[in-house]
Amino acid sequence: MLFNSYIFIFVFLPATLLGFYLLGRRNPMWASGWLAAASLTFYGWWDARYVALLLASIAFNYLAGYGLAQMAARGTPRRKLALGLAIAADLGLLAYFKYANFLVDNLARLTGLHWAMAAIVLPLGISFYTFTQIAFLVDTYQGKVREYRFLHYVLFITYFPHLIAGPVLHHKEMMPQFAHADICQPNWDNLARGLTLFLLGLGKKVLLADTLAQPANAVFHLLAQGQTVSTAESWIGILAYTLQLYFDFSAYSDMAIGISMLFNIRLPQNFDSPYQARSIIDFWRRWHMTLSRFLRDYLYIPLGGNQHGDGRRYANLMITMLLGGLWHGAGWTYVIWGGLHGLYLLVNHAWRALMARHGWHGEGRLYQTAAWMLTLLAVMLGWVFFRADSLASALSLLHSLAGLASAAVQSAGIERASALPMLLLGFAIALYLPNAQAAALSAPESRQGLLRRLGWRPTLGYAALMTLLGYGVLTNLHKPSEFLYFQF
């Protein structure tokens, strides 16, 4: 089920919300059970067969986590071995569904043998719920988990606002909220702010991301057919995709947090205007923030982090980003994308060390502008590999962007009169307007600049503005499209 569909907006969400609060008046555990059942229905709407896989994964990890806690209480040795085996089982399941075809195809190429296997359907959200449960196992091993109520654990994993495309959650930041006494009491401030954030996200998806998808898809479709695209259309295509991905992922993050607020639950921030970053380090503090947190806490730091000298630190960074790239998809283009960002981070850290050694501060406006432009250009070049269906398509696009395309180019049929204004509007919003989550959730007294004027207020004017946005979105919601992060 899609957040941007009539069935979700007018049937599923209102019914789930109403049932949650009505049952919560009688018994909070009934409300939790209702929300867990609704979340499983939400997931099963795509393909009911994979609900059993999700439940099996939940049961296994709950029992493994509970077992680790009991081993710690009894002082049982080999807890690390038990943790390793549980994580290996999780990764094995993810590897089968996400990487089996990729591995077999590459082994066939290397050996020259005609190996093949039937195409495996990737279950929606398996990467996210697998990482969430690995974090739970590690937190249990480290003694950070305090509650083991099975119903709350099921809700923690299946909770529908985050289940399909994140954010990646920590057990410790969700369980206390599920157990809070007031969670089942309607909070009108949360309802108003949550609905505002949901509408802002819906607007980004329907009016911006889906519109920008048209020129982006036209260019990459031609590249996938082996055609060469002109330099002008190549730039329009990659700029459009840069904004499409931004608004698509930003929209999902806003809608997930907004929906969650309707249930008095706060999800962690996952997106913070990353195209305003002035370094790759800052970019990764703003883009898919909970995934970055997971990779840092459960991969980079266990590898040794920055504790064993610069050489080891840079190696750990590169390994983390390569695996982060592979997490996004089973393809060499994703590995290259991860490797590029690993290289970017190495250069960025080395540059900061050089600046610190010589006492440079880089505080001037010219320096900051150049740093922003270089960061955005580096991110865009990475998106070429992230979006392209093959290495050949990515290299062809890079040649066209550099003005090195062959004379025989194919037109993507882009209507520049409509595409160029959308690009200008998209970058103006991404670069200059306040973050939607800050606008909807911040306290009025903490706001500065544009945020002071555009931030949410409980006024008739703001309600009228959101009503107008809702009308504009719903009248354009003819054919709901999937969010891009569903494929990961």
Side-chain angles (χ1 to χ4, degrees):
M1 194 180 300
L2 299 172
F3 290 168
N4 52 325
S5 64
Y6 290 123
I7 188 71
F8 178 84
I9 295 170
F10 292 110
V11 179
F12 178 84
L13 183 57
T16 303
L17 199 61
L18 183 63
F20 178 76
Y21 284 122
L22 288 177
L23 290 171
R25 295 172 64 181
R26 302 292 299 274
N27 188 320
M29 291 304 289
W30 292 2
S32 295
W34 168 262
L35 194 50
S39 297
L40 290 171
T41 302
F42 174 86
Y43 186 79
W45 194 267
W46 165 67
D47 192 329
R49 295 174 299 174
Y50 290 95
V51 173
L53 178 69
L54 173 60
L55 289 173
S57 177
I58 289 171
F60 169 79
N61 282 281
Y62 175 80
L63 292 173
Y66 188 78
L68 285 169
Q70 294 302 307
M71 291 173 71
R74 294 193 298 264
T76 306
R78 298 188 177 179
R79 280 199 313 129
K80 184 174 285 190
L81 175 62
L83 173 66
L85 291 173
I87 292 175
D90 282 326
L91 293 177
L93 182 69
L94 179 62
Y96 171 75
F97 280 101
K98 195 165 185 175
Y99 304 107
N101 288 123
F102 174 68
L103 292 173
V104 169
D105 290 346
N106 280 278
L107 284 173
R109 291 194 188 99
L110 285 173
T111 61
L113 299 175
H114 298 288
W115 291 352
M117 62 185 299
I120 300 172
V121 177
L122 180 67
L124 277 177
I126 189 171
S127 297
F128 289 96
Y129 70 69
T130 298
F131 272 25
T132 297
Q133 295 192 104
I134 288 174
F136 163 71
L137 292 175
V138 175
D139 287 350
T140 302
Y141 175 82
Q142 295 175 347
K144 298 178 181 177
V145 175
R146 295 288 180 266
E147 189 199 326
Y148 293 93
R149 277 183 277 191
F150 182 66
L151 179 57
H152 281 176
Y153 181 77
V154 173
L155 180 55
F156 162 60
I157 301 301
T158 63
Y159 185 49
F160 73 90
H162 90 100
L163 177 59
I164 307 298
V168 180
L169 301 178
H170 278 301
H171 187 270
K172 63 184 178 182
E173 64 194 0
M174 298 303 295
M175 288 304 206
Q177 296 191 71
F178 294 145
H180 199 280
D182 295 333
I183 191 175
C184 300
Q185 302 299 319
N187 181 307
W188 298 109
D189 186 70
N190 282 346
L191 287 168
R193 290 174 183 267
L195 184 59
T196 297
L197 194 51
F198 176 80
L199 286 172
L200 289 172
L202 190 60
K204 288 181 185 178
K205 172 61 175 171
V206 175
L207 302 178
L208 295 174
D210 289 351
T211 303
L212 289 159
Q214 297 171 17
N217 290 342
V219 167
F220 282 97
H221 178 69
L222 277 182
L223 292 168
Q225 294 180 329
Q227 303 290 338
T228 303
V229 184
S230 70
T231 297
E233 289 195 328
S234 295
W235 275 103
I236 291 174
I238 190 57
L239 288 169
Y241 179 70
T242 297
L243 288 171
Q244 178 203 359
L245 184 60
Y246 177 95
F247 286 117
D248 195 278
F249 188 34
S250 173
Y252 186 93
S253 299
D254 290 346
M255 294 168 81
I257 292 175
I259 293 166
S260 199
M261 285 197 69
L262 302 179
F263 296 92
N264 295 319
I265 296 171
R266 286 289 184 107
L267 294 181
Q269 187 175 6
N270 205 29
F271 200 87
D272 185 16
S273 303
Y275 287 173
Q276 296 178 19
R278 291 179 171 83
S279 70
I280 289 294
I281 294 172
D282 189 31
F283 173 81
W284 279 106
R285 289 171 179 160
R286 295 166 173 259
W287 178 276
H288 211 330
M289 297 158 69
T290 58
L291 176 63
S292 298
R293 177 182 68 177
F294 178 92
L295 293 174
R296 180 198 66 203
D297 293 347
Y298 301 103
L299 184 56
Y300 175 70
I301 291 177
L303 285 171
N306 58 0
Q307 300 301 309
H308 303 287
D310 287 342
R312 178 71 176 274
R313 175 195 190 187
Y314 292 159
N316 293 338
L317 273 173
M318 181 59 76
I319 292 170
T320 299
M321 295 311 298
L322 285 170
L323 292 175
L326 190 60
W327 175 87
H328 281 84
W332 289 112
T333 52
Y334 291 109
V335 176
I336 293 171
W337 172 78
L340 272 176
H341 275 273
L343 180 61
Y344 294 161
L345 286 170
L346 301 190
V347 172
N348 198 173
H349 280 288
W351 174 249
R352 287 192 173 185
L354 181 64
M355 290 181 66
R357 191 176 305 124
H358 292 280
W360 302 338
H361 301 292
E363 295 175 351
R365 179 173 295 182
L366 181 61
Y367 177 90
Q368 292 296 318
T369 301
W372 165 75
M373 293 178 64
L374 182 61
T375 300
L376 186 58
L377 179 61
V379 169
M380 285 173 51
L381 293 178
W383 291 146
V384 171
F385 293 93
F386 195 81
R387 175 61 175 83
D389 71 310
S390 66
L391 181 58
S393 294
L395 294 176
S396 176
L397 181 56
L398 289 176
H399 275 83
S400 296
L401 292 172
L404 302 176
S406 63
V409 298
Q410 182 72 31
S411 172
I414 296 173
E415 296 182 7
R416 301 185 189 184
S418 59
L420 293 177
M422 280 301 301
L423 292 177
L424 291 174
L425 175 63
F427 276 110
I429 292 172
L431 299 178
Y432 298 108
L433 288 189
N435 182 274
Q437 293 172 29
L441 306 182
S442 63
E445 60 272 13
S446 68
R447 297 169 183 163
Q448 297 179 352
L450 270 178
L451 187 60
R452 186 184 295 275
R453 286 194 286 176
L454 300 178
W456 179 87
R457 289 179 176 83
T459 63
L460 288 176
Y462 212 97
L465 184 63
M466 289 300 102
T467 301
L468 184 63
L469 174 62
Y471 175 79
V473 168
L474 293 175
T475 54
N476 285 276
L477 200 62
H478 308 306
K479 187 179 180 182
S481 63
E482 289 189 351
F483 291 86
L484 295 178
Y485 260 72
F486 279 20
Q487 63 188 292
F488 307 133

